[in-house]
């Protein structure tokens, strides 16, 4: 009898967008790249949007130079002349934000005022949530271009997977902050020189600005929001369109975790949030699962005799003890995975064993794909 297909296989064959998400350090980037490579070799025009890949993986994908536009991945065994293809790009957060400003500005002068503002330069590079928001912007731009059958996005390496879903609201809340508009009104009446003359170092407003932005350039903050007038609606409308696309049935979220309790709890919480927001959950990938092959049981008394029977005996006894520890670890991981599945019913799970080496080239991505799509 044929073994059941991987839950990822149908997702990679039919989805238009796959979002690989999870907390930091769980293998999202490698998973996203392996899914994209598998889909390309299955005949789909595919692009993977990655955020911060390890250097060797970036080189394997042709991303050794930062690029904010898709570039072909060329390597041994990739489709040549067939229907499938693989492009890759690494998000340049600042450049993407600049493009968004240029898109929504009334005219080039407004765009230039914002791009030259020091507060904007700080916000566009450091504000929490900006990277997630810009990843969604670039994803939507590529989707609208209709160049690809499948887009695979590797979400930013944040503490919480929810940051990706919450970023548009958080950024829009800042850009539309009513409190900041209080700064603008006097400036519009008196002139921009008013803002430069502000001395509010002890006010609650300045403390809020410093807390939110890390900036004490209060005058430049006010100038930024004055220049930004009229662009809020465009940002909000675009964020709504992106959010609608993420809820569309042609999108699939693939939640990536490791078998540690904290990572699985985060995955379960995120899966619950996706369900509450009616977003399509494609599969759960659990990376770095420990496996223990069966060995004949050796009674404890026999192990003690081995340990007392010279160097070879002690070595064999130590190996048996290590294997027993590995069995216990593997069993505990499976219990945690089962507990998660009890809390998130009907979720397809793919388990990937702990691999002997890091994934850093196309051959490694194919090996990873063999486990993802087995």
């Amino acid at each position: 009898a044929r073994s059941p297909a991987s839950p990822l296989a149908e997702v990679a064959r039919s989805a238009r967008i796959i979002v690989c998400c999870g907390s930091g350090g769980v293998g999202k980037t490698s998973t996203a790249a392996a899914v994209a490579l598998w889909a390309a070799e299955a005949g789909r025009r595919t692009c993977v949007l990655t955020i911060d890949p390890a250097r060797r993986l970036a080189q394997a994908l042709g991303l050794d130079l930062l690029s904010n536009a898709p570039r072909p991945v060329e390597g041994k065994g990739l489709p040549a002349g067939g229907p499938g293809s693989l492009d890759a790009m690494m998000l340049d957060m600042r450049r993407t934000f600049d493009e968004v400003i240029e898109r929504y500005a009334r005219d080039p002068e407004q765009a230039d005022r914002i791009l030259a503002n020091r507060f904007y330069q700080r916000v566009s590079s450091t504000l929490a949530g900006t990277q997630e928001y810009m990843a969604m912007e670039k994803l939507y731009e590529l989707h609208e271009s209709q160049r690809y059958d499948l887009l695979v996005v590797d979400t930013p390496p944040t503490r919480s997977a929810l940051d990706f879903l919450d970023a548009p609201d958080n950024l829009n809340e800042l850009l539309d902050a009513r409190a900041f508009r209080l700064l603008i009104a006097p400036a519009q009446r008196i002139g921009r020189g008013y803002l430069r003359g502000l001395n509010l170092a002890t006010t609650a407003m300045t403390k809020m600005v410093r807390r939110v932005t890390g900036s004490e350039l209060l005058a430049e903050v006010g100038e930024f929001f004055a220049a930004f007038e009229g662009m809020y609606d465009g940002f909000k409308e675009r964020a709504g369109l992106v959010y609608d696309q993420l809820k569309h049935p042609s999108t699939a979220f693939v939640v990536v975790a490791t078998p540690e309790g904290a990572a699985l709890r985060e995955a379960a919480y995120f899966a619950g949030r996706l369900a509450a927001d009616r977003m399509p959950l494609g599969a759960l990938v659990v990376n770095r699962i420990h496996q223990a092959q069966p060995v004949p049981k050796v009674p404890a008394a026999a192990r003690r005799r081995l340990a007392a029977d010279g160097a070879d005996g002690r070595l064999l006894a130590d190996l048996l003890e290590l294997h027993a520890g590995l069995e216990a670890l593997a069993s505990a991981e499976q219990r945690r995975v089962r507990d998660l599945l009890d809390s998130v019913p009907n979720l397809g799970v793919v388990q990937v064993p702990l691999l002997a080496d890091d994934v850093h080239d196309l051959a490694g991505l194919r090996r990873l794909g063999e486990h993802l799509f087995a």
Side-chain angles (χ1 to χ4, degrees), residues 322-339:
L322 286 172
H323 187 270
L326 179 60
E327 285 183 320
L329 176 60
S331 177
E333 289 177 351
Q334 292 302 322
R335 281 197 304 274
R336 288 195 288 267
V337 171
R338 287 195 299 271
D339 289 344

Side-chain angles (χ1 to χ4, degrees), residues 272-302:
R273 167 68 184 274
L274 289 173
D277 288 359
R278 298 184 179 178
M279 290 189 170
L281 181 56
L284 168 70
V285 173
V286 186
N287 278 325
R288 304 170 197 154
I289 288 280
H290 288 86
Q291 296 179 324
Q293 299 300 322
V295 299
K297 292 297 181 183
V298 179

